[in-house]
């Protein structure tokens, strides 16, 4: 069976980070989102953090009412965020762990210990017609717990893989790729849709894009950083090309397999 199309979700948080460095309205994350869609993004991801360090409540309202592609709202599994999600009804919510002192989402959600409170949030979102994704480490227990709690999707945390690659640790990188590959297969077997993201760059995207079970990648920081040098449109186009090439390779190898 040939692998499905691989969607690209562009995370625009760091457009808001730059805006907030000076206050005011520039650069506008909504404008970046429109540009990302023009360049080939299949969806837009925005993380409304508890401390509102980048994306604001107003950004979410504007994205929801004006975007022409699905909005994936990243948020902590709290009552405050649940109320906001239910007010705006994005296409999907990705539940992430959140600690104030972290610079970015450092690890996966502890679904195993999430218990009843997490299950209730997942179900409230699903009852409102919102697809629910859990951002997890690529480990079997988290996958099993995600299915048990009623999630539609797991987003596999690619941070460890990208760090090993950045350190030129070939053995560690290969081990992380294998861990992701195994987790993606387990997640599909558990009936979950599989996404992946965090820390992906031009150099690291292909190994993940080749995994046929993964149907969406969410990429932010690297693309916004590259936009400084060549523009957001060109950064997204290039990422899209690398994803498509890797997917085509995996398609060829699946056709060649006996
Ligand atoms: N997916 C999730 C769940 C995230 O929390 C983040 C970071 O906000 C990303 C994807 C994108 O990661 P990056 O900005 O490193 O590309």
């Amino acid at each position: 069976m040939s692998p499905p199309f691989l969607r690209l979700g562009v995370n625009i948080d760091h457009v808001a980070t730059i805006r907030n460095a000076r206050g005011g309205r520039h650069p506008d994350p909504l404008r970046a989102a429109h540009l990302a869609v023009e360049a080939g993004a299949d969806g837009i991801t925005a993380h409304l953090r508890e401390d509102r360090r980048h994306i604001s409540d107003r950004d979410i309202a504007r994205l929801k009412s004006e975007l022409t592609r699905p909005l994936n709202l990243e948020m902590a599994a709290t009552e405050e965020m649940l109320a906001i999600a239910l007010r705006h009804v994005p296409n999907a919510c990705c539940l992430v762990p959140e600690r104030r002192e972290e610079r970015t989402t450092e690890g996966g959600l502890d679904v195993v210990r999430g218990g009843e409170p997490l299950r209730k949030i997942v179900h409230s979102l699903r009852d409102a017609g919102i697809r629910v994704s859990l951002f997890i480490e690529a480990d079997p227990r988290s996958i099993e717990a995600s299915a048990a709690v009623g999630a539609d999707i797991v987003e596999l945390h690619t941070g460890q893989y990208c760090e090993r690659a950045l350190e030129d640790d070939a053995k560690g990188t290969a081990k992380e790729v294998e861990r992701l590959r195994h987790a993606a297969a387990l997640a599909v077997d558990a009936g979950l849709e599989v996404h992946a993201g965090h820390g992906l760059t031009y150099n690291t995207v292909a190994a993940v894009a080749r995994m046929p079970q993964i149907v969406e990648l969410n990429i932010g920081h690297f693309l916004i950083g590259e936009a400084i040098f060549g523009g957001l449109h060109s950064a997204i186009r290039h990422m899209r090309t690398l994803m498509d090439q890797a997917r085509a390779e995996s398609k060829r190898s699946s056709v060649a397999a006996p």
Side-chain angles (χ1 to χ4, degrees):
M1 198 182 74
S2 72
F5 178 73
L6 180 59
R7 299 192 297 266
L8 170 61
V10 172
N11 180 317
I12 52 157
D13 293 350
H14 297 299
V15 177
T17 302
I18 299 171
R19 174 196 63 194
N20 296 359
R22 283 287 173 95
R25 300 261 160 114
H26 184 78
D28 179 7
L30 178 62
R31 183 173 162 202
H34 285 315
L35 207 148
V37 168
E38 249 178 69
D42 302 289
I44 296 296
T45 294
H47 184 176
L48 185 67
R49 291 189 75 107
E50 184 200 10
D51 62 8
R52 310 298 197 269
R53 71 176 68 158
H54 38 54
I55 293 294
S56 67
D57 297 70
R58 179 173 177 270
D59 291 329
I60 296 297
R62 291 172 73 227
L63 286 164
K64 175 57 197 163
S65 73
E66 295 190 38
L67 266 185
T68 55
R69 290 282 188 283
L71 173 64
N72 174 32
L73 171 62
E74 268 185 36
M75 60 183 226
T78 62
E79 290 299 325
E80 182 206 2
M81 289 299 153
L82 173 64
I84 292 170
L86 295 180
R87 191 153 65 243
H88 295 295
V89 193
N91 299 75
C93 279
C94 180
L95 302 181
V96 301
E98 205 175 286
R99 289 188 300 119
R100 266 181 188 242
E101 63 275 21
E102 70 190 359
R103 268 192 286 182
T104 179
T105 315
E106 281 166 4
L109 193 66
D110 189 349
V111 188
V112 175
R113 286 196 296 174
E116 191 51 24
L118 181 62
R119 202 193 65 82
K120 269 176 129 171
I121 289 181
V122 169
H123 283 264
S124 303
L125 292 167
R126 292 198 63 198
D127 288 349
I130 301 169
R131 304 191 76 216
V132 181
S133 170
L134 303 180
F135 187 47
I136 60 164
E137 290 298 330
D139 76 77
R141 288 184 69 215
S142 300
I143 290 162
E144 199 183 310
S146 299
V149 91
D152 301 284
I153 305 161
V154 283
E155 180 163 329
L156 302 178
H157 198 314
T158 52
Q160 289 289 341
Y161 154 61
C162 292
E163 272 178 37
R164 296 294 86 76
L166 206 62
E167 290 159 358
D168 284 328
D169 171 1
K171 215 167 140 194
T173 305
K175 201 169 142 203
E176 286 302 322
V177 169
E178 207 33 58
R179 190 160 77 94
L180 288 164
R181 201 194 318 275
H182 182 61
L186 281 182
V188 166
D189 287 348
L192 294 157
E193 182 172 308
V194 191
H195 300 178
H198 208 283
L200 292 170
T201 65
Y202 294 153
N203 291 333
T204 52
V205 75
V208 182
R210 272 187 217 111
M211 296 176 196
Q213 298 87 354
I214 296 179
V215 297
E216 180 173 308
L217 299 181
N218 283 299
I219 310 181
H221 184 266
F222 179 80
L223 289 172
I224 305 306
E226 274 299 293
I228 293 170
F229 305 109
L232 187 57
H233 191 278
S234 132
I236 292 172
R237 285 303 322 148
H238 189 51
M239 189 62 86
R240 180 77 262 167
T241 302
L242 294 172
M243 285 166 56
D244 291 344
Q245 280 170 353
R247 206 57 161 193
E249 279 165 30
S250 80
K251 202 174 278 188
R252 277 196 296 276
S253 56
S254 75
V255 170

mmCIF file with all atom_site columns, all heavy atoms in Angstrom, residues 11-23:
data_model
loop_
_atom_site.group_PDB
_atom_site.id
_atom_site.type_symbol
_atom_site.label_atom_id
_atom_site.label_alt_id
_atom_site.label_comp_id
_atom_site.label_asym_id
_atom_site.label_entity_id
_atom_site.label_seq_id
_atom_site.pdbx_PDB_ins_code
_atom_site.Cartn_x
_atom_site.Cartn_y
_atom_site.Cartn_z
_atom_site.occupancy
_atom_site.B_iso_or_equiv
_atom_site.pdbx_formal_charge
_atom_site.auth_seq_id
_atom_site.auth_comp_id
_atom_site.auth_asym_id
_atom_site.auth_atom_id
_atom_site.pdbx_PDB_model_num
ATOM 1   N N   . ASN A 1 11 ? 3.905  25.974 12.336 1.00 0.00 ? 11 ASN A N   1
ATOM 2   C CA  . ASN A 1 11 ? 3.694  26.569 13.661 1.00 0.00 ? 11 ASN A CA  1
ATOM 3   C C   . ASN A 1 11 ? 4.192  28.024 13.636 1.00 0.00 ? 11 ASN A C   1
ATOM 4   O O   . ASN A 1 11 ? 5.375  28.282 13.359 1.00 0.00 ? 11 ASN A O   1
ATOM 5   C CB  . ASN A 1 11 ? 4.456  25.727 14.694 1.00 0.00 ? 11 ASN A CB  1
ATOM 6   C CG  . ASN A 1 11 ? 4.293  26.257 16.096 1.00 0.00 ? 11 ASN A CG  1
ATOM 7   O OD1 . ASN A 1 11 ? 4.364  27.453 16.321 1.00 0.00 ? 11 ASN A OD1 1
ATOM 8   N ND2 . ASN A 1 11 ? 4.090  25.373 17.050 1.00 0.00 ? 11 ASN A ND2 1
ATOM 9   N N   . ILE A 1 12 ? 3.278  28.942 13.923 1.00 0.00 ? 12 ILE A N   1
ATOM 10  C CA  . ILE A 1 12 ? 3.605  30.369 13.779 1.00 0.00 ? 12 ILE A CA  1
ATOM 11  C C   . ILE A 1 12 ? 3.901  31.064 15.117 1.00 0.00 ? 12 ILE A C   1
ATOM 12  O O   . ILE A 1 12 ? 3.973  32.295 15.179 1.00 0.00 ? 12 ILE A O   1
ATOM 13  C CB  . ILE A 1 12 ? 2.455  31.113 13.056 1.00 0.00 ? 12 ILE A CB  1
ATOM 14  C CG1 . ILE A 1 12 ? 1.127  30.804 13.754 1.00 0.00 ? 12 ILE A CG1 1
ATOM 15  C CG2 . ILE A 1 12 ? 2.413  30.763 11.586 1.00 0.00 ? 12 ILE A CG2 1
ATOM 16  C CD1 . ILE A 1 12 ? 0.067  31.809 13.532 1.00 0.00 ? 12 ILE A CD1 1
ATOM 17  N N   . ASP A 1 13 ? 4.113  30.271 16.174 1.00 0.00 ? 13 ASP A N   1
ATOM 18  C CA  . ASP A 1 13 ? 4.348  30.870 17.505 1.00 0.00 ? 13 ASP A CA  1
ATOM 19  C C   . ASP A 1 13 ? 5.441  31.932 17.499 1.00 0.00 ? 13 ASP A C   1
ATOM 20  O O   . ASP A 1 13 ? 5.335  32.958 18.166 1.00 0.00 ? 13 ASP A O   1
ATOM 21  C CB  . ASP A 1 13 ? 4.800  29.796 18.508 1.00 0.00 ? 13 ASP A CB  1
ATOM 22  C CG  . ASP A 1 13 ? 3.712  28.791 18.819 1.00 0.00 ? 13 ASP A CG  1
ATOM 23  O OD1 . ASP A 1 13 ? 2.560  29.015 18.421 1.00 0.00 ? 13 ASP A OD1 1
ATOM 24  O OD2 . ASP A 1 13 ? 4.039  27.774 19.459 1.00 0.00 ? 13 ASP A OD2 1
ATOM 25  N N   . HIS A 1 14 ? 6.516  31.638 16.759 1.00 0.00 ? 14 HIS A N   1
ATOM 26  C CA  . HIS A 1 14 ? 7.676  32.516 16.905 1.00 0.00 ? 14 HIS A CA  1
ATOM 27  C C   . HIS A 1 14 ? 7.592  33.802 16.079 1.00 0.00 ? 14 HIS A C   1
ATOM 28  O O   . HIS A 1 14 ? 8.402  34.706 16.256 1.00 0.00 ? 14 HIS A O   1
ATOM 29  C CB  . HIS A 1 14 ? 8.965  31.730 16.700 1.00 0.00 ? 14 HIS A CB  1
ATOM 30  C CG  . HIS A 1 14 ? 9.075  30.686 17.782 1.00 0.00 ? 14 HIS A CG  1
ATOM 31  N ND1 . HIS A 1 14 ? 9.133  31.024 19.116 1.00 0.00 ? 14 HIS A ND1 1
ATOM 32  C CD2 . HIS A 1 14 ? 9.026  29.336 17.731 1.00 0.00 ? 14 HIS A CD2 1
ATOM 33  C CE1 . HIS A 1 14 ? 9.153  29.915 19.843 1.00 0.00 ? 14 HIS A CE1 1
ATOM 34  N NE2 . HIS A 1 14 ? 9.079  28.881 19.027 1.00 0.00 ? 14 HIS A NE2 1
ATOM 35  N N   . VAL A 1 15 ? 6.567  33.880 15.236 1.00 0.00 ? 15 VAL A N   1
ATOM 36  C CA  . VAL A 1 15 ? 6.254  35.186 14.639 1.00 0.00 ? 15 VAL A CA  1
ATOM 37  C C   . VAL A 1 15 ? 5.737  36.075 15.779 1.00 0.00 ? 15 VAL A C   1
ATOM 38  O O   . VAL A 1 15 ? 6.123  37.249 15.911 1.00 0.00 ? 15 VAL A O   1
ATOM 39  C CB  . VAL A 1 15 ? 5.197  35.055 13.516 1.00 0.00 ? 15 VAL A CB  1
ATOM 40  C CG1 . VAL A 1 15 ? 4.834  36.417 12.954 1.00 0.00 ? 15 VAL A CG1 1
ATOM 41  C CG2 . VAL A 1 15 ? 5.693  34.109 12.431 1.00 0.00 ? 15 VAL A CG2 1
ATOM 42  N N   . ALA A 1 16 ? 4.909  35.469 16.631 1.00 0.00 ? 16 ALA A N   1
ATOM 43  C CA  . ALA A 1 16 ? 4.382  36.214 17.787 1.00 0.00 ? 16 ALA A CA  1
ATOM 44  C C   . ALA A 1 16 ? 5.493  36.530 18.796 1.00 0.00 ? 16 ALA A C   1
ATOM 45  O O   . ALA A 1 16 ? 5.465  37.577 19.448 1.00 0.00 ? 16 ALA A O   1
ATOM 46  C CB  . ALA A 1 16 ? 3.258  35.419 18.446 1.00 0.00 ? 16 ALA A CB  1
ATOM 47  N N   . THR A 1 17 ? 6.482  35.635 18.905 1.00 0.00 ? 17 THR A N   1
ATOM 48  C CA  . THR A 1 17 ? 7.603  35.917 19.817 1.00 0.00 ? 17 THR A CA  1
ATOM 49  C C   . THR A 1 17 ? 8.305  37.207 19.393 1.00 0.00 ? 17 THR A C   1
ATOM 50  O O   . THR A 1 17 ? 8.623  38.058 20.230 1.00 0.00 ? 17 THR A O   1
ATOM 51  C CB  . THR A 1 17 ? 8.636  34.757 19.779 1.00 0.00 ? 17 THR A CB  1
ATOM 52  O OG1 . THR A 1 17 ? 7.975  33.552 20.127 1.00 0.00 ? 17 THR A OG1 1
ATOM 53  C CG2 . THR A 1 17 ? 9.792  34.996 20.717 1.00 0.00 ? 17 THR A CG2 1
ATOM 54  N N   . ILE A 1 18 ? 8.516  37.353 18.094 1.00 0.00 ? 18 ILE A N   1
ATOM 55  C CA  . ILE A 1 18 ? 9.209  38.551 17.589 1.00 0.00 ? 18 ILE A CA  1
ATOM 56  C C   . ILE A 1 18 ? 8.327  39.788 17.794 1.00 0.00 ? 18 ILE A C   1
ATOM 57  O O   . ILE A 1 18 ? 8.794  40.831 18.241 1.00 0.00 ? 18 ILE A O   1
ATOM 58  C CB  . ILE A 1 18 ? 9.602  38.373 16.103 1.00 0.00 ? 18 ILE A CB  1
ATOM 59  C CG1 . ILE A 1 18 ? 10.553 37.189 15.967 1.00 0.00 ? 18 ILE A CG1 1
ATOM 60  C CG2 . ILE A 1 18 ? 10.233 39.648 15.548 1.00 0.00 ? 18 ILE A CG2 1
ATOM 61  C CD1 . ILE A 1 18 ? 10.844 36.778 14.540 1.00 0.00 ? 18 ILE A CD1 1
ATOM 62  N N   . ARG A 1 19 ? 7.054  39.648 17.480 1.00 0.00 ? 19 ARG A N   1
ATOM 63  C CA  . ARG A 1 19 ? 6.122  40.765 17.717 1.00 0.00 ? 19 ARG A CA  1
ATOM 64  C C   . ARG A 1 19 ? 6.168  41.199 19.179 1.00 0.00 ? 19 ARG A C   1
ATOM 65  O O   . ARG A 1 19 ? 6.296  42.386 19.496 1.00 0.00 ? 19 ARG A O   1
ATOM 66  C CB  . ARG A 1 19 ? 4.697  40.341 17.339 1.00 0.00 ? 19 ARG A CB  1
ATOM 67  C CG  . ARG A 1 19 ? 3.654  41.391 17.699 1.00 0.00 ? 19 ARG A CG  1
ATOM 68  C CD  . ARG A 1 19 ? 2.250  40.830 17.677 1.00 0.00 ? 19 ARG A CD  1
ATOM 69  N NE  . ARG A 1 19 ? 2.068  39.779 18.663 1.00 0.00 ? 19 ARG A NE  1
ATOM 70  C CZ  . ARG A 1 19 ? 1.037  38.935 18.689 1.00 0.00 ? 19 ARG A CZ  1
ATOM 71  N NH1 . ARG A 1 19 ? 0.100  39.022 17.764 1.00 0.00 ? 19 ARG A NH1 1
ATOM 72  N NH2 . ARG A 1 19 ? 0.940  38.009 19.621 1.00 0.00 ? 19 ARG A NH2 1
ATOM 73  N N   . ASN A 1 20 ? 6.087  40.216 20.078 1.00 0.00 ? 20 ASN A N   1
ATOM 74  C CA  . ASN A 1 20 ? 5.981  40.546 21.502 1.00 0.00 ? 20 ASN A CA  1
ATOM 75  C C   . ASN A 1 20 ? 7.269  41.149 22.072 1.00 0.00 ? 20 ASN A C   1
ATOM 76  O O   . ASN A 1 20 ? 7.235  41.781 23.126 1.00 0.00 ? 20 ASN A O   1
ATOM 77  C CB  . ASN A 1 20 ? 5.592  39.304 22.312 1.00 0.00 ? 20 ASN A CB  1
ATOM 78  C CG  . ASN A 1 20 ? 4.201  38.787 21.941 1.00 0.00 ? 20 ASN A CG  1
ATOM 79  O OD1 . ASN A 1 20 ? 3.524  39.358 21.090 1.00 0.00 ? 20 ASN A OD1 1
ATOM 80  N ND2 . ASN A 1 20 ? 3.787  37.708 22.561 1.00 0.00 ? 20 ASN A ND2 1
ATOM 81  N N   . ALA A 1 21 ? 8.381  40.930 21.367 1.00 0.00 ? 21 ALA A N   1
ATOM 82  C CA  . ALA A 1 21 ? 9.644  41.503 21.853 1.00 0.00 ? 21 ALA A CA  1
ATOM 83  C C   . ALA A 1 21 ? 9.549  43.020 21.929 1.00 0.00 ? 21 ALA A C   1
ATOM 84  O O   . ALA A 1 21 ? 10.256 43.657 22.714 1.00 0.00 ? 21 ALA A O   1
ATOM 85  C CB  . ALA A 1 21 ? 10.796 41.086 20.940 1.00 0.00 ? 21 ALA A CB  1
ATOM 86  N N   . ARG A 1 22 ? 8.665  43.601 21.091 1.00 0.00 ? 22 ARG A N   1
ATOM 87  C CA  . ARG A 1 22 ? 8.492  45.058 21.086 1.00 0.00 ? 22 ARG A CA  1
ATOM 88  C C   . ARG A 1 22 ? 7.076  45.497 21.435 1.00 0.00 ? 22 ARG A C   1
ATOM 89  O O   . ARG A 1 22 ? 6.770  46.674 21.372 1.00 0.00 ? 22 ARG A O   1
ATOM 90  C CB  . ARG A 1 22 ? 8.829  45.602 19.687 1.00 0.00 ? 22 ARG A CB  1
ATOM 91  C CG  . ARG A 1 22 ? 10.304 45.671 19.411 1.00 0.00 ? 22 ARG A CG  1
ATOM 92  C CD  . ARG A 1 22 ? 10.913 46.814 20.210 1.00 0.00 ? 22 ARG A CD  1
ATOM 93  N NE  . ARG A 1 22 ? 12.354 46.830 20.102 1.00 0.00 ? 22 ARG A NE  1
ATOM 94  C CZ  . ARG A 1 22 ? 13.036 47.573 19.230 1.00 0.00 ? 22 ARG A CZ  1
ATOM 95  N NH1 . ARG A 1 22 ? 12.414 48.330 18.369 1.00 0.00 ? 22 ARG A NH1 1
ATOM 96  N NH2 . ARG A 1 22 ? 14.349 47.539 19.226 1.00 0.00 ? 22 ARG A NH2 1
ATOM 97  N N   . GLY A 1 23 ? 6.181  44.523 21.656 1.00 0.00 ? 23 GLY A N   1
ATOM 98  C CA  . GLY A 1 23 ? 4.773  44.891 21.818 1.00 0.00 ? 23 GLY A CA  1
ATOM 99  C C   . GLY A 1 23 ? 4.220  45.247 20.452 1.00 0.00 ? 23 GLY A C   1
ATOM 100 O O   . GLY A 1 23 ? 4.851  44.974 19.434 1.00 0.00 ? 23 GLY A O   1
#
